[in-house]
Amino acid sequence: MASSILINSISPYSKYLRRNRNYCLSASAALRGAINFPVKCSSSSNLSCERSCRFGIVRASCTEEVVDDHEFDNVERKVLRVGIICGGPSAERGISLNSARSVLDNLQGDDLHVSCYYIDSNLNAFAISTAQVYSNTPADFDFKLESLAQGFRSLSDFTEHLASSVDIVFPVIHGRFGEDGGIQELLERSNIPFVGTGSTQCQKAFDKYDASMELDRQGFVTVPNFLIQGNETDESGLSKWFEQNLLDIKSGKVVVKPTRAGSSIGVSVAYGVSDSLTKANGVISEGIDDKVLIEIFLEGGSEFTAIVLDVGSGFNCQPVVFLPTEVELQSHGTVDVSEKDAIFNYRRKYLPTRQVAYHTPPRFSMDVISRIREGASLLFQRLGLRDFARIDGWVLPPSTKASTSAGNKFGRTDSGTVIFTDINLISGMEQTSFLFQQASKVGFSHSNILRTIIQHACLRFPDLLSHNIISCPSRRRSKSSSLTEEFIKQHKKVYVIFGGDTSERQVSLMSGTNVWLNLRASDDLEVTPCLLAPAMSYTDFSDSAKHEVDEKFKTVWTLPYSLLLRHTTEEVLDACLEAIEPNRAALTSQLRNQVMDDLMRGLRNHSWFNGFDISDELPKKFSLEQWVKLAKESQATVFIAVHGGIGEDGTLQSLLEAEGVPYTGPGAMASKTCMDKVATSVALQHLTDFGVLTINKDVKKKEDLLKMSISDLWLDLKSKLHCDTLCVKPARDGCSTGVARLCCEGDLAFYVNVLQDCLPRIPPNSLSKAHGMIEMPNPPPELLIFEPFVETDDIVVASKSRNENAHNLLWKGDSRWVEVTVGVVGKCGSMRSLTPSVTVKESGGILSLEEKFQGGTGINLTPPPPSIMSSAALERCKKRIELIANTLQLEGFSRIDAFVHADTGEVLIIEVNTVPGMTPSTVLIHQALSEQPPLYPQQFFRALLDLASERSM
């Protein structure tokens, strides 16, 4: 039997939480010397929702019927076993992993437990530990599967295991096999309950061509389209279609898209018949899809997306559409030619960028918003969708051709025409996804909306009703809700601050959001997210006044729940300003109340729904000085997640120290030293005899670089540093900002021009050696460091096609140096090293911001495998890392980047980050999880917070 070779289906995290209801932190052996205290969590039994559950395991009947769940009000509740299935064969696997992490983080509780499963690109199924869900990328996942997961011989064995080990499956596979009916059909054949739409309905809704035809039959306005299948190149038919739609056959603008791929993968803009066929054939030849749709380009339209939640009972469908989100494409500065044909593509959907902004509710007229909500609800019902979905579309102005030709079909309004274009059966569930953005606008926290979706799915399976989970299991509400003043006073205040104005601000937002969400899980904390925003442009001041400007004119916004769930700091700030604009605030409140009324008409009929847990609040603006005083008055601990700038140069730390406010991370002097790479080297240069080395550096002023001859400068640098390849980096910025490899005089000239023109970024592959996007500091750096580029041998992953037994690492090891990153945690003078990580780079010689912090790139190897570094060398490396940390007087936590000699364990220091990345897929999370026992994100961030609370001021 397959089940005999499988790991225990109860996750280590669930076991851990059940054993430790009053003590939520159990530090690993490696950290006990630094974190040797339990953190008591209030059980809040008189304040939390009642939980009448036992830890029994009962199989659920999979016969679907319509049931009144009030019949089960007096049935004893049991733990619900939820199986998350992620991965899949599509190019959206990376997003699926991000979704799985987010669902796992927000589905913890002693009334349910979660087991995790992974489907690889070849449709092989694996049972994985909850720790492995935090792997960075699909490549990371696949590489570690053989050693960390338990595989199934077949999908039949997989479903046999699911039938005996989980009560209900929550599929979070995006794209093929997840939304096309594949996983649903597999589960249906084995009578396994699952969340979401059935297989037949998925098949129809997922295929964009079939869905378009069905929408047309149902009387909805649709976008004119032409289908290309396989090798059938119907140039004549396409030419006629162009003419019918009044498009020039040589230059008519259209959109080319796969019919069965999501997340805008393979979507492009084309001009004319020939270009359309070329791009369609490209989609087919690349294996993205063998069916391609060509649609007219909707000029002048506005894109929107809307979440739909079913609140009915059993098969009595009662869909409610949340406040839709308007997707606004933007351009900043110089517009690239390709950006003139901007579409809402994969990068804009999932990576922080100022090229897109979101407005919830949309800036449409009331009749258009009503038509969107009405139409999405009708679609949900007529297509037979279940539980939840996301429906995308466009609003076209009345003057456009599509609007005037719509006739009497559904979608016409006096203000424009609504067209529905895409149906997403498994909406993205990343931390700041549309699901959570829109849900929070109408009163749902992350946990509440996920539990509501799962509980609604259980209504189709009578025996699952005895597993009723609590939709709102926590007392965590916004302060203006029903919390009493006495309750608020009993709980420790925490301010999580993030943002700033450096090029690392978007990573800072991701870090701050992740920390905030994880700390909210502690019932004894009251956690407030805070945005650090610049008050005005640096260009308004002289260089000598900039530091004073930072302190006097910077502002901090305390944020309500829903305003934080954005992709960029600029978008958060815009949302704050929009929220306090009277007319906009009144409209949002009106629409919010309308949606909540619609929701309650259905949810009030379910005994398991315990109410909304996010109230409608406004953001508050403070000067930085006022905010620090507020933190003092509130007796708050500040969790610093501001990367670069005043978050790492000691400025923010000094302000907090002056008022006696405890904060995370190193003190002001240590932060100032580590921010300056030259000062860091000077502070460590006496450690050479202990195996700690520093890299030779030559510091140049930007103004001198702009005046010097490039040829003379290049020769001078090579002569002083005794090398042919250079590395250039700002003296006081971190996280790869402005870091570039210069292989020739032309590279240096290009970099100097970027400085002179104050460009925000260097496009990929602009230099002679291949590289990704290089973000530049803002404002431009005044001092730059040149140093020899340290050559390391590339680590290459050999796939199974080259080695039938397993994935292998290919590493020549000629130089014997490898690049590592290491977290250090503890108190000043007794910092402990976590297990170092090696990251296999995907492009170029320098890790990009994305490779370091965002899911979708890189393979993190924690610890480095024995084939690269012996255990003895690894231990020597850790001791030297601890020596560095304690010499620099670090405390709390930091991250040290270095080159390590694979044989001797000697350490060549690169930089020290006193506010390291804390995103869901960052390497610090991997290292904490590699401890024994593992430290999961909630415990890890809580440990860091408590170190801050204990520090002596």
Side-chain angles (χ1 to χ4, degrees), residues 798-810:
S799 65
K800 287 185 179 181
S801 61
R802 297 175 61 180
N803 185 323
E804 289 302 321
N805 295 322
H807 292 92
N808 272 351
L809 289 176
L810 300 181

Side-chain angles (χ1 to χ4, degrees), residues 179-182 185 198-207 210 425:
E179 297 181 83
D180 63 359
E185 184 177 0
S199 62
T200 302
Q201 292 76 21
C202 281
Q203 291 170 13
K204 292 180 180 178
F206 182 68
D207 187 297
D210 292 345
L425 289 315

Side-chain angles (χ1 to χ4, degrees), residues 84-88 91-106 116-118 128 130 132-141 171-174 263 346-347 349-352 426-433 435-436 446 450 510 514 517-518 567 850 852-858 860 919-922 926 937:
I84 296 176
I85 303 181
C86 61
E92 300 172 77
R93 278 192 301 151
I95 304 306
S96 172
L97 301 186
N98 293 343
S99 292
R101 275 191 289 267
S102 179
V103 172
L104 179 62
D105 280 343
N106 291 286
C116 299
Y117 303 92
Y118 179 69
I128 60 176
T130 50
Q132 195 176 350
V133 175
Y134 295 93
S135 290
N136 189 31
T137 66
D140 206 1
F141 242 84
V172 291
I173 299 176
H174 305 308
S263 298
Y346 185 93
R347 182 178 180 85
K349 283 185 177 180
Y350 299 116
L351 298 179
I426 301 177
S427 178
M429 285 167 270
E430 296 176 294
Q431 289 179 342
T432 58
S433 65
L435 172 65
F436 299 126
H446 286 62
L450 290 172
M510 296 168 67
N514 190 43
L517 283 171
N518 277 282
H567 292 81
E850 289 173 14
K852 283 189 174 181
F853 301 117
Q854 298 164 9
T857 56
N860 285 311
T919 65
S921 58
T922 190
H926 304 166

Side-chain angles (χ1 to χ4, degrees), residues 187-208:
L187 296 171
E188 287 167 351
R189 284 203 304 263
S190 298
N191 293 319
I192 297 173
F194 61 89
V195 173
T197 300
S199 62
T200 302
Q201 292 76 21
C202 281
Q203 291 170 13
K204 292 180 180 178
F206 182 68
D207 187 297
K208 293 179 176 63

Side-chain angles (χ1 to χ4, degrees), residues 396-617:
L396 303 180
S399 59
T400 60
K401 177 181 180 295
S403 289
T404 56
S405 62
N408 294 322
K409 290 191 172 184
F410 183 92
R412 287 289 301 272
T413 73
D414 292 338
S415 304
T417 299
V418 175
I419 301 180
F420 297 102
T421 56
D422 291 281
I423 300 159
N424 301 272
L425 289 315
I426 301 177
S427 178
M429 285 167 270
E430 296 176 294
Q431 289 179 342
T432 58
S433 65
F434 291 124
L435 172 65
F436 299 126
Q437 283 185 30
Q438 295 183 21
S440 67
K441 279 289 187 182
V442 293
F444 290 102
S445 66
H446 286 62
S447 177
N448 198 359
I449 188 63
L450 290 172
R451 286 167 170 264
T452 298
I453 289 169
I454 292 172
Q455 190 64 71
H456 183 270
C458 288
L459 295 179
R460 295 192 294 275
F461 309 97
D463 287 356
L464 288 186
L465 292 180
S466 62
H467 295 71
N468 274 7
I469 61 175
I470 303 165
S471 69
C472 174
S474 167
R475 57 88 195 150
R476 287 179 291 277
R477 297 170 184 264
S478 298
K479 292 178 185 176
S480 63
S481 67
S482 60
L483 285 178
T484 64
E485 288 187 16
E486 180 183 357
F487 172 79
I488 294 173
K489 290 178 181 178
Q490 290 174 350
H491 289 71
K492 182 187 298 185
K493 306 291 194 304
V494 181
Y495 290 169
V496 179
I497 186 168
F498 49 86
D501 53 9
T502 74
S503 59
E504 302 168 65
R505 64 193 180 278
Q506 315 306 1
V507 175
S508 174
L509 173 60
M510 296 168 67
S511 292
T513 302
N514 190 43
V515 169
W516 166 69
L517 283 171
N518 277 282
L519 289 180
R520 287 187 82 253
S522 295
D523 283 341
D524 63 332
L525 300 180
E526 195 66 36
V527 190
T528 302
C530 306
L531 172 70
L532 173 65
M536 55 191 74
S537 171
Y538 273 98
T539 58
D540 297 333
F541 298 91
S542 64
D543 289 347
S544 62
K546 287 177 182 176
H547 187 76
E548 187 177 351
V549 169
D550 273 336
E551 294 190 33
K552 285 190 174 181
F553 293 94
K554 282 195 175 298
T555 57
V556 178
W557 292 78
T558 57
L559 304 172
Y561 195 113
S562 65
L563 293 193
L564 175 55
L565 304 180
R566 300 293 190 275
H567 292 81
T568 67
T569 54
E570 290 80 10
E571 192 185 341
V572 175
L573 182 57
D574 288 345
C576 289
L577 297 173
E578 190 175 82
I580 61 176
E581 196 280 317
N583 293 334
R584 181 69 175 173
L587 174 63
T588 300
S589 180
Q590 176 188 346
L591 291 171
R592 170 190 166 94
N593 291 336
Q594 180 181 330
V595 174
M596 293 178 76
D597 288 345
D598 293 344
L599 288 166
M600 281 308 300
R601 274 192 282 273
L603 291 174
R604 69 163 61 100
N605 298 318
H606 303 303
S607 60
W608 45 262
F609 183 69
N610 211 44
F612 301 106
D613 57 342
I614 300 298
S615 63
D616 190 13
E617 293 182 344

Side-chain angles (χ1 to χ4, degrees), residues 827-840:
K827 299 179 181 180
C828 189
S830 58
M831 296 293 283
R832 297 296 184 91
S833 170
L834 298 178
T835 302
S837 301
V838 173
T839 299
V840 179

